[in-house]
Amino acid sequence: MSYATLPKAELHMHIEGSFEPELMFNIAERNGIALPYDSVEALKAKYDFNNLQDFLDIYYQGCAVLLNEQDFYDLAWAYLLKAKEDHIVHTEIFFDPQSHTDRGITFDTVINGFYRAFKDGEAQLGITFRIIACFLRHLPEQAGFDIYPDILRHKDKIIGVGLDSSEVGHPPEKYQRLFQQAKKDGFKIVAHAGEEGPAEYIWQAIDLLEVDRIDHGNRCLDDEKLVQTIVDKGLALTVCPLSNLKLCVVDELKNHPIKAMLAKDLKATINSDDPAYFGGYINDNFRQLKQAVGLSDTEVKQLIINSFEASFLSKQEIDKHLKNVNDQAD
Ligand code: HPA
Ligand code: ZN
């Protein structure tokens, strides 16, 4: 049994974080935008981060070359080809509308480009998808309310809302009213919590935002009562090992807490987060993590089963995928 060829779902991937430098230079050139780097190599040399903010500064800069619907299409299509190689059969992706609308790009340009690519991916590559719109938590809650009508207008394409960007200093409680509205309107709710921020932010994501899933969640391990609550509620964690390494959430991959999470019955999943920036797509995450911490076949299989169980697919679709995993894992 190999993680590499088993069908799997990805639940934590920022589509703007799959922007490979080569494609970035390509799109910058066709849009007549000068990147502040001479070459792909010079850009890649900047991918040495000490924390989340170091990364976000580079990530938002990369977003700035995306102008036209076709740019968003091309970005998503490039990810889908990587996903296919890694045997991803279902993906639930994030996008950051405010990182584009704040530059004068219309919401419709962004969502229509992404959506068309994912519909083509479904038809041509057999990869199903869900789209989650994230609010940038470094901006005021009101900025989220300002963009919210666009998200609601595209509810046929967007399954849920999330919360990302700079975590520390921007606790979930700051967004409680916005997420209450989204919940009332029938959106699924997720939030990045406990990546750099404390366990308290995870409590808030659960109690105040009423999340359906926790993105990252590493810091729950600091609080036994919180771990028990997450297990009891059956909430999944979308864990991102190479991201954790590159953003110094863990000092070395061999110290990654994935085995401890599974041992505590936390429904952990493996995800690539921002693969173009963190050195690998989902199978790279499995490969390097397995090598570093020595995952057993049982643990690998559990992580893959969790990826489907924690997805926003129907019970019937989940069961179909689990049967395929079981058939191929034996
Ligand atoms: N963490 C928080 N916000 C983000 C990330 C991340 O890894 N990627 C894009 N926005
Ligand atoms: Zn993330």
Coordinates of all heavy atoms in Angstrom, one line a residue, residues 220-221 227 231 237 239 256-270 286 289 293-307:
C220 N -3.7 22.8 19.9 CA -4.7 22.2 20.8 C -4.0 21.2 21.7 O -4.5 20.9 22.8 CB -5.8 21.4 20.0 SG -5.3 19.9 19.3
L221 N -2.8 20.7 21.3 CA -2.1 19.8 22.1 C -1.6 20.4 23.5 O -1.2 19.7 24.4 CB -0.9 19.2 21.3 CG -1.4 18.4 20.1 CD1 -0.2 18.0 19.2 CD2 -2.1 17.1 20.5
V227 N -8.4 19.1 23.6 CA -8.3 17.9 22.8 C -9.5 17.1 23.0 O -10.1 16.6 22.0 CB -7.0 17.1 23.2 CG1 -7.0 15.7 22.5 CG2 -5.7 17.9 22.7
V231 N -12.2 16.0 20.1 CA -12.5 14.5 19.8 C -14.0 14.3 20.0 O -14.6 13.7 19.1 CB -11.6 13.6 20.7 CG1 -12.1 12.2 20.6 CG2 -10.2 13.8 20.4
L237 N -9.0 18.2 12.1 CA -7.9 19.1 12.0 C -7.3 19.0 10.6 O -6.9 17.9 10.2 CB -6.8 18.9 13.0 CG -7.2 18.8 14.5 CD1 -5.9 18.6 15.3 CD2 -7.9 20.0 14.9
V239 N -4.2 19.4 8.9 CA -2.8 19.6 9.3 C -1.9 19.7 8.1 O -2.2 19.1 7.1 CB -2.3 18.4 10.2 CG1 -0.9 18.5 10.6 CG2 -3.2 18.3 11.4
H256 N 7.3 16.7 14.4 CA 5.9 17.0 14.1 C 5.0 16.2 14.9 O 5.2 15.0 15.1 CB 5.6 16.8 12.6 CG 4.3 17.5 12.2 ND1 3.1 16.9 12.4 CD2 4.1 18.7 11.6 CE1 2.2 17.8 12.0 NE2 2.7 18.8 11.5
P257 N 3.9 16.8 15.5 CA 3.0 16.0 16.4 C 1.9 15.1 15.7 O 1.0 14.7 16.4 CB 2.3 17.2 17.2 CG 2.3 18.3 16.3 CD 3.5 18.2 15.4
I258 N 2.1 14.8 14.5 CA 1.0 14.1 13.8 C 0.7 12.8 14.5 O -0.5 12.4 14.6 CB 1.3 13.9 12.3 CG1 0.1 13.4 11.5 CG2 2.5 12.9 12.1 CD1 -0.9 14.4 11.3
K259 N 1.7 12.0 14.9 CA 1.5 10.7 15.6 C 0.7 10.9 16.9 O -0.2 10.2 17.3 CB 2.8 9.9 15.8 CG 3.3 9.3 14.5 CD 4.6 8.7 14.6 CE 4.6 7.3 15.1 NZ 4.4 6.4 14.0
A260 N 1.1 12.0 17.6 CA 0.4 12.2 18.9 C -1.0 12.6 18.7 O -1.9 12.2 19.4 CB 1.1 13.4 19.6
M261 N -1.3 13.3 17.6 CA -2.7 13.7 17.2 C -3.5 12.4 17.0 O -4.6 12.3 17.5 CB -2.7 14.6 16.0 CG -2.2 16.0 16.3 SD -2.0 16.9 14.7 CE -1.8 18.6 15.3
L262 N -3.0 11.5 16.2 CA -3.7 10.3 15.9 C -3.9 9.5 17.1 O -4.9 8.9 17.3 CB -3.0 9.5 14.8 CG -3.0 10.2 13.4 CD1 -2.1 9.4 12.4 CD2 -4.4 10.3 12.8
A263 N -2.8 9.4 17.9 CA -2.9 8.6 19.1 C -4.0 9.1 20.1 O -4.6 8.4 20.9 CB -1.6 8.6 19.8
K264 N -4.3 10.4 20.0 CA -5.3 11.0 20.9 C -6.7 10.9 20.2 O -7.6 11.6 20.6 CB -5.0 12.4 21.2 CG -3.8 12.6 22.2 CD -3.4 14.1 22.3 CE -2.1 14.2 23.1 NZ -2.2 13.9 24.5
D265 N -6.8 10.2 19.1 CA -8.0 10.1 18.3 C -8.5 11.4 17.7 O -9.7 11.5 17.3 CB -9.2 9.5 19.2 CG -9.0 8.1 19.4 OD1 -8.4 7.4 18.5 OD2 -9.4 7.6 20.5
L266 N -7.6 12.3 17.5 CA -8.0 13.5 16.7 C -8.1 13.2 15.3 O -7.2 12.4 14.8 CB -6.9 14.6 16.9 CG -6.9 15.3 18.3 CD1 -5.6 16.0 18.6 CD2 -8.1 16.3 18.4
K267 N -9.1 13.7 14.6 CA -9.3 13.4 13.2 C -8.4 14.3 12.3 O -8.8 15.3 11.8 CB -10.8 13.6 12.9 CG -11.2 12.9 11.6 CD -12.7 13.2 11.3 CE -13.5 12.1 12.0 NZ -14.9 12.0 11.3
A268 N -7.1 13.9 12.3 CA -6.1 14.7 11.6 C -6.1 14.3 10.1 O -6.4 13.2 9.7 CB -4.8 14.5 12.2
T269 N -5.8 15.3 9.2 CA -5.7 15.0 7.8 C -4.4 15.7 7.3 O -3.9 16.6 8.0 CB -6.9 15.7 7.0 OG1 -6.9 17.1 7.2 CG2 -8.2 15.1 7.5
I270 N -3.9 15.3 6.2 CA -2.6 15.8 5.6 C -2.9 16.7 4.4 O -3.7 16.3 3.5 CB -1.7 14.7 5.2 CG1 -1.3 13.8 6.4 CG2 -0.4 15.3 4.6 CD1 -0.6 14.6 7.5
F286 N 3.2 13.7 2.5 CA 3.2 12.4 3.0 C 4.6 11.8 3.1 O 5.0 11.1 4.1 CB 2.2 11.5 2.2 CG 0.8 11.5 2.6 CD1 -0.2 12.2 1.9 CD2 0.4 10.8 3.7 CE1 -1.5 12.2 2.3 CE2 -0.9 10.8 4.2 CZ -1.9 11.5 3.5
L289 N 6.9 13.5 5.7 CA 6.4 13.2 7.0 C 6.7 11.8 7.4 O 7.1 11.5 8.5 CB 4.9 13.6 7.1 CG 4.3 13.5 8.5 CD1 4.9 14.6 9.4 CD2 2.8 13.7 8.4
V293 N 8.9 10.9 10.7 CA 8.3 10.4 11.9 C 8.0 8.9 11.9 O 7.5 8.3 12.9 CB 7.0 11.2 12.4 CG1 7.3 12.7 12.5 CG2 5.8 10.9 11.4
G294 N 8.1 8.3 10.7 CA 7.9 6.9 10.6 C 6.4 6.5 10.7 O 6.0 5.7 11.6
L295 N 5.6 7.0 9.9 CA 4.2 6.7 9.9 C 4.0 5.2 9.5 O 4.6 4.8 8.5 CB 3.4 7.5 8.9 CG 3.2 9.0 9.2 CD1 2.5 9.7 8.1 CD2 2.4 9.2 10.5
S296 N 3.1 4.5 10.2 CA 2.8 3.1 9.8 C 1.8 3.1 8.7 O 1.1 4.2 8.4 CB 2.2 2.4 11.0 OG 1.0 2.9 11.3
D297 N 1.6 2.0 8.0 CA 0.5 1.9 7.0 C -0.8 2.2 7.6 O -1.7 2.8 7.0 CB 0.5 0.5 6.4 CG 1.7 0.3 5.4 OD1 2.4 1.2 5.1 OD2 1.8 -0.9 4.9
T298 N -1.0 1.7 8.8 CA -2.3 2.0 9.5 C -2.6 3.5 9.7 O -3.7 4.0 9.5 CB -2.4 1.3 10.9 OG1 -2.0 -0.1 10.7 CG2 -3.7 1.3 11.5
E299 N -1.5 4.2 10.1 CA -1.6 5.6 10.3 C -1.9 6.3 9.0 O -2.7 7.3 8.9 CB -0.4 6.2 11.0 CG -0.3 5.8 12.5 CD 1.0 6.1 13.1 OE1 2.1 5.9 12.4 OE2 1.0 6.5 14.3
V300 N -1.1 5.9 7.9 CA -1.3 6.6 6.6 C -2.8 6.4 6.2 O -3.4 7.3 5.7 CB -0.4 6.0 5.6 CG1 -0.7 6.4 4.2 CG2 1.1 6.4 5.9
K301 N -3.3 5.1 6.3 CA -4.6 4.8 5.9 C -5.6 5.7 6.7 O -6.6 6.2 6.1 CB -4.9 3.3 6.0 CG -6.2 2.9 5.4 CD -6.4 1.4 5.4 CE -7.8 1.1 5.1 NZ -8.1 -0.3 5.4
Q302 N -5.4 5.8 8.0 CA -6.3 6.6 8.8 C -6.3 8.0 8.3 O -7.4 8.6 8.3 CB -5.9 6.5 10.3 CG -6.9 7.1 11.2 CD -8.2 6.4 11.3 OE1 -8.2 5.2 11.5 NE2 -9.3 7.1 11.0
L303 N -5.2 8.6 8.0 CA -5.1 10.0 7.6 C -5.9 10.2 6.3 O -6.6 11.2 6.1 CB -3.7 10.4 7.4 CG -2.8 10.6 8.6 CD1 -1.3 10.6 8.3 CD2 -3.2 11.8 9.4
I304 N -5.8 9.2 5.4 CA -6.6 9.3 4.1 C -8.1 9.1 4.3 O -8.9 9.8 3.8 CB -5.9 8.3 3.1 CG1 -4.6 8.8 2.7 CG2 -6.8 8.1 1.9 CD1 -3.8 8.0 1.8
I305 N -8.4 8.1 5.2 CA -9.9 8.0 5.5 C -10.4 9.2 6.1 O -11.5 9.7 5.8 CB -10.0 6.8 6.5 CG1 -9.8 5.4 5.7 CG2 -11.4 6.8 7.2 CD1 -9.7 4.2 6.6
N306 N -9.6 9.8 7.0 CA -10.1 11.1 7.7 C -10.3 12.2 6.6 O -11.2 13.0 6.8 CB -9.0 11.6 8.7 CG -8.9 10.7 9.9 OD1 -9.7 9.8 10.1 ND2 -7.8 10.9 10.7
S307 N -9.5 12.2 5.6 CA -9.6 13.3 4.6 C -11.0 13.2 3.9 O -11.5 14.3 3.6 CB -8.5 13.2 3.6 OG -8.7 12.2 2.6

